Amino acid sequence: MDTDPPLQLRVFDLNCWAIRYLSKVRQERIGMIGDTLSQEGFDLALLQEVWSERDYCELKQKLTACYPYSHYFKSGVIGSGFCVFSRYPILDTFLYQYSLNGYPYMLQHGDWFCGKAVGLLIIKICGIIFHVYVTHLLAEYCRDKDAYLPHRVVQAWELAQFIQHTSKGADVVLLGGDLNMHPGDMGIRLLRGWTGLRDSFADADRFEGCEDGYTLVPANCFTVNKELQPFPLGIRIDYILYKGLSRFVVKCDSLVTTTGTAPGKSIPYSDHEAVIATLSVRRGEEAKGSSGSNVGPELVDVVNEARTEVRARLHAAECQRDSNGRMASLALLLLLLQAAMGLSSLAGWDTPQPFPKFSSSLLSLLATVVLLLSMGLYIFHTIEVRMLQGTEEQMRLALQALQDKLSSM
């Protein structure tokens, strides 16, 4: 096997920005994506933000001849948005939905309703078992005041743990998706440090595309330039990460990103640039760190950093939970007082009414609305607190294990 030629694998990754009724020229762009996938003949296509199952069915119908195997992951209120097209048989699939996914009252963002998750596909290619992961993490709407940072860190931790615990039977691990994190951000350092995944952009022998591999660039006509003001050249938030296991070595021969408009077209495929990696897989000596994380002071530091962020959010979530609990209690007390006054009137007791009937009804309605909203938020923040407590405990145990390994080295 050592003398056999390496397996060449071409992987296409794209956040398609296909929100029905909201995304610009969605149907035309979906058609363009389907045409490109059909003409280029990639081995794997990992797509995110295909929110409409009808769009997936149209792509599937167009691509059946080139990609006989495909899967659409369903999750949350409006779906996960993930679909994968493959030239090779898909043996199994699994979806894990992240425990924290933003806030339901942030209606303008809508992340909470999307069911952000990670999808796993097990694919066998020329006798090699690939565990392919596709994901899309919480967006960053404000770099300076990032309200979603703690939840994104939790998602990165859960993603790392999910990969670590489900990839033990794999020969090759492959992760593609919109991680919504810059290369040096805490979450990406945590993910790569814990799993040992390699970055195709950093390791590629050849690169062609936007400067520094940026996947959100001002040259794209769909990009909201206001969001890129701190980064005038663009940002890199879409990734193809990989590693070899079981004595398999994976190397990135080339990486290409699109650069604004699609070839021969006047519009881009999406507001994100596509990432196209050509990987070679061969059997050889087990790569350093391929079996898991590289234990070192850097990994201890980043887990500590992530734990500190989680603990800070945990304290804030506890305060929000308690505040909503007190508000619900006051609203309930007001409703009980009004009910008691109403019952006293029915019983014929001569009790003076402090409010006119209309004002009393209005006050009751307001108290009911406050009670329902406060109870809903109390339940949400209680769940958030439990999830953060669980994550913080996992990180504490992980730190203890890492420090024990370091002390024994």
Side-chain angles (χ1 to χ4, degrees):
M1 179 73 182
D2 290 357
T3 59
D4 290 347
L7 170 68
Q8 294 283 331
L9 194 73
R10 296 183 69 216
V11 183
F12 178 94
D13 175 82
L14 177 64
N15 177 326
C16 298
W17 187 51
I19 308 170
R20 204 169 183 190
Y21 308 120
L22 295 177
S23 297
K24 298 176 183 176
V25 289
R26 174 184 57 85
Q27 290 180 308
E28 183 180 348
R29 292 187 294 103
I30 288 291
M32 287 166 49
I33 292 168
D35 291 340
T36 298
L37 293 179
S38 179
Q39 293 163 9
E40 293 290 334
F42 301 105
D43 295 295
L44 279 172
L46 312 176
L47 306 181
Q48 304 97 53
E49 286 206 21
V50 182
W51 297 114
S52 168
E53 197 165 351
R54 183 181 300 176
D55 289 341
Y56 163 71
C57 291
E58 289 177 4
L59 283 171
K60 183 178 180 180
Q61 185 176 4
K62 179 180 286 190
L63 299 173
T64 298
C66 301
Y67 304 89
Y69 308 97
S70 63
H71 186 74
Y72 185 77
F73 290 99
K74 301 178 182 181
S75 171
V77 177
I78 62 173
S80 69
F82 306 151
C83 60
V84 176
F85 295 91
S86 171
R87 289 178 54 206
Y88 301 94
I90 297 173
L91 306 181
D92 200 3
T93 65
F94 186 77
L95 184 77
Y96 173 77
Q97 188 169 340
Y98 297 124
S99 60
L100 294 176
N101 192 34
Y103 310 100
Y105 46 83
M106 296 274 196
L107 298 176
Q108 72 275 26
H109 297 153
D111 293 89
W112 187 79
F113 301 94
C114 297
K116 294 290 176 69
V118 52
L120 163 65
L121 302 99
I122 300 177
I123 300 175
K124 191 172 185 178
I125 304 175
C126 300
I128 303 172
I129 300 297
F130 285 76
H131 281 207
V132 180
Y133 300 86
V134 58
T135 192
H136 184 191
L137 303 191
L138 267 170
E140 179 185 84
Y141 294 97
C142 179
R143 186 74 173 173
D144 296 329
K145 297 179 181 179
D146 187 2
Y148 293 122
L149 176 59
H151 284 203
R152 197 180 310 108
V153 169
V154 171
Q155 289 182 350
W157 173 254
E158 291 181 350
L159 174 59
Q161 289 281 67
F162 183 74
I163 292 173
Q164 192 75 344
H165 289 295
T166 59
S167 62
K168 297 186 186 302
D171 297 321
V172 175
V173 173
L174 183 65
L175 168 65
D178 176 4
L179 302 184
N180 275 312
M181 296 184 288
H182 299 215
D185 284 357
M186 179 202 315
I188 199 76
R189 289 185 284 117
L190 179 66
L191 171 63
R192 291 191 58 200
W194 192 254
T195 60
L197 289 170
R198 304 181 68 85
D199 185 355
S200 57
F201 172 75
D203 293 348
D205 290 342
R206 299 184 307 278
F207 172 73
E208 180 183 339
C210 299
E211 182 178 349
D212 291 331
Y214 294 144
T215 58
L216 215 58
V217 295
N220 188 309
C221 64
F222 297 133
T223 300
V224 180
N225 289 330
K226 183 180 177 182
E227 296 177 0
L228 289 179
Q229 278 183 353
F231 310 97
L233 297 178
I235 56 176
R236 181 162 76 96
I237 57 175
D238 300 88
Y239 298 82
I240 294 177
L241 307 176
Y242 61 87
K243 71 173 179 178
L245 295 166
S246 307
R247 297 178 63 84
F248 280 90
V249 177
V250 186
K251 182 171 168 287
C252 185
D253 294 333
S254 71
L255 187 78
V256 177
T257 67
T258 53
T259 55
T261 55
K265 302 290 183 180
S266 59
I267 58 172
Y269 296 117
S270 169
D271 60 342
H272 289 239
E273 302 305 318
V275 182
I276 304 160
T278 302
L279 307 175
S280 62
V281 183
R282 62 177 177 82
R283 187 181 288 276
E285 293 297 324
E286 186 173 359
K288 182 180 178 182
S290 64
S291 60
S293 58
N294 292 316
V295 178
E298 298 84 2
L299 182 56
V300 173
D301 289 344
V302 73
V303 176
N304 246 325
E305 189 181 349
R307 187 185 177 201
T308 301
E309 187 66 43
V310 168
R311 290 174 73 176
R313 177 56 202 168
L314 174 59
H315 176 69
E318 287 172 337
C319 292
Q320 288 177 299
R321 176 199 60 188
D322 296 343
S323 176
N324 282 290
R326 288 191 293 270
M327 185 67 72
S329 300
L330 289 172
L332 180 61
L333 180 61
L334 180 59
L335 285 172
L336 290 174
L337 286 172
Q338 288 188 298
M341 288 188 291
L343 288 173
S344 66
S345 298
L346 289 174
W349 297 340
D350 190 16
T351 305
Q353 297 295 323
F355 303 112
K357 284 187 177 181
F358 175 76
S359 299
S360 180
S361 300
L362 192 62
L363 191 61
S364 297
L365 177 62
L366 180 62
T368 302
V369 171
V370 171
L371 175 63
L372 292 175
L373 287 176
S374 298
M375 280 302 298
L377 290 173
Y378 176 82
I379 292 169
F380 168 77
H381 286 299
T382 299
I383 295 171
E384 183 187 18
V385 165
R386 296 294 175 89
M387 294 300 103
L388 289 167
Q389 286 173 337
T391 302
E392 196 272 335
E393 176 64 13
Q394 290 173 28
M395 289 178 171
R396 185 189 68 80
L397 292 172
L399 276 170
Q400 185 178 334
L402 287 172
Q403 287 163 348
D404 289 344
K405 285 181 182 179
L406 278 175
S407 62
S408 64
M409 288 173 67

